[in-house]
Amino acid sequence: MTPLSSVSAPPVTPLDLGGRTALVTGAASGIGRACALRLAAAGAKVRAVDRDAAGLDTLAEQAVGIEPYVLDLTDLDAAEAAAAGTDVLVNNAGIQLVRPVEEFPTDVFHTVLTVMLEAPFRLIRGALPHMYEQGWGRIVNLSSVHGLRASAFKSAYVTAKHGLEGLSKTVALEGAAHGVTSNCVNPGYVRTPLVERQIADQAAAHGIPEERVLAEVMLQDSAVKRLIEPDEVAEAVAYLCTPQASFMTGTSLVLDGGWTAH
């Protein structure tokens, strides 16, 4: 019997995306920015998509291989065209508004679903022909704990994320025979500008001071009482592009600090 101390550790294959093109939406800040930088560090040419031109220019100055691509994802035809020829697609862009259902603006509900569900569908639709032709592709959809659980006052966001989960699974079933994986990454509350804006919205919705929102509302159900960092989420996205993750498809990688363990 071989002593445990002499057993070699399995080889670690670093993420090498040299020669690959990745597209990341919502890339000017937060999770998208972290994902763009992580994939560029792995050697990918990154098509960084956002409507924030200044933010994209700042991002492009921070790493080699990042191409700013200014686009409003409500332009669905342009979104689909932007995804052509990509090997890795990260659907990350998101917007949020916290309101009771009876007060939720119908136009905002429509926009949230357009940006966070219909645009990912169109981006995937644009990316799949190239992925299928080459027999390899990685689709990573930034979902949320809210893709698995609902919260009050977030009807549009929760609806979009639940829909994204279903879309991701459908693409996984269709893409498996073509070497394409499709997965969701589901973080809890991430330290991003979107979450910072939510604190003010939640304070108004619940009628409590902003300083109480994080502990009493956002992290109430989390065993780990902190926000997750964008770089932690980006590392999970990167893992789904590694050879070791080639058998992972149609699933949700949950980074929620124990929220869904309840």
Side-chain angles (χ1 to χ4, degrees), residues 38-199:
R38 179 65 181 90
L39 297 177
K45 177 183 177 182
V46 179
R47 201 173 293 168
V49 173
D50 206 293
R51 61 184 179 181
D52 178 2
L56 289 178
D57 288 341
T58 300
L59 172 65
E61 293 170 358
Q62 295 179 317
V64 175
I66 294 181
E67 171 195 357
Y69 198 110
V70 180
L71 175 65
D72 187 327
L73 290 177
T74 60
D75 185 343
L76 296 171
D77 290 340
E80 183 170 330
T86 55
D87 307 296
V88 176
L89 172 61
V90 181
N91 283 312
N92 165 73
I95 51 180
Q96 176 67 284
L97 180 67
V98 180
R99 294 287 189 281
V101 170
E102 70 275 16
E103 299 175 8
F104 207 99
T106 56
D107 60 329
V108 176
F109 191 95
H110 174 75
T111 299
V112 170
L113 264 65
T114 300
V115 171
M116 295 175 55
L117 184 54
E118 193 168 1
F121 162 72
R122 295 292 294 271
L123 286 153
I124 291 169
R125 190 173 186 272
L128 283 179
H130 170 72
M131 293 180 177
Y132 283 3
E133 182 179 3
Q134 68 179 358
W136 191 94
R138 296 292 177 264
I139 297 169
V140 185
N141 299 300
L142 262 298
S143 183
S144 165
V145 176
H146 287 112
L148 309 173
R149 296 284 190 274
S151 287
F153 309 119
K154 298 182 180 179
S155 55
Y157 190 88
V158 170
T159 299
K161 292 301 189 185
H162 274 67
L164 187 64
E165 295 279 334
L167 174 63
S168 184
K169 289 180 174 67
T170 300
V171 174
L173 295 178
E174 295 183 13
H178 305 278
V180 175
T181 65
S182 175
N183 293 287
C184 287
V185 173
N186 301 63
Y189 288 106
V190 187
R191 193 184 305 279
T192 65
L194 185 146
V195 167
E196 290 169 357
R197 289 192 294 270
Q198 278 189 63
I199 292 175

Side-chain angles (χ1 to χ4, degrees), residues 202-236:
Q202 288 280 15
H206 292 275
I208 61 176
E210 290 186 16
E211 58 268 20
R212 290 174 51 192
V213 169
L214 197 60
E216 297 181 20
V217 179
M218 290 184 166
L219 300 180
Q220 181 180 17
D221 294 325
S222 178
V224 181
K225 300 296 185 184
R226 69 170 177 87
L227 299 175
I228 186 172
E229 300 296 331
D231 288 349
E232 294 177 272
V233 182
E235 202 59 41

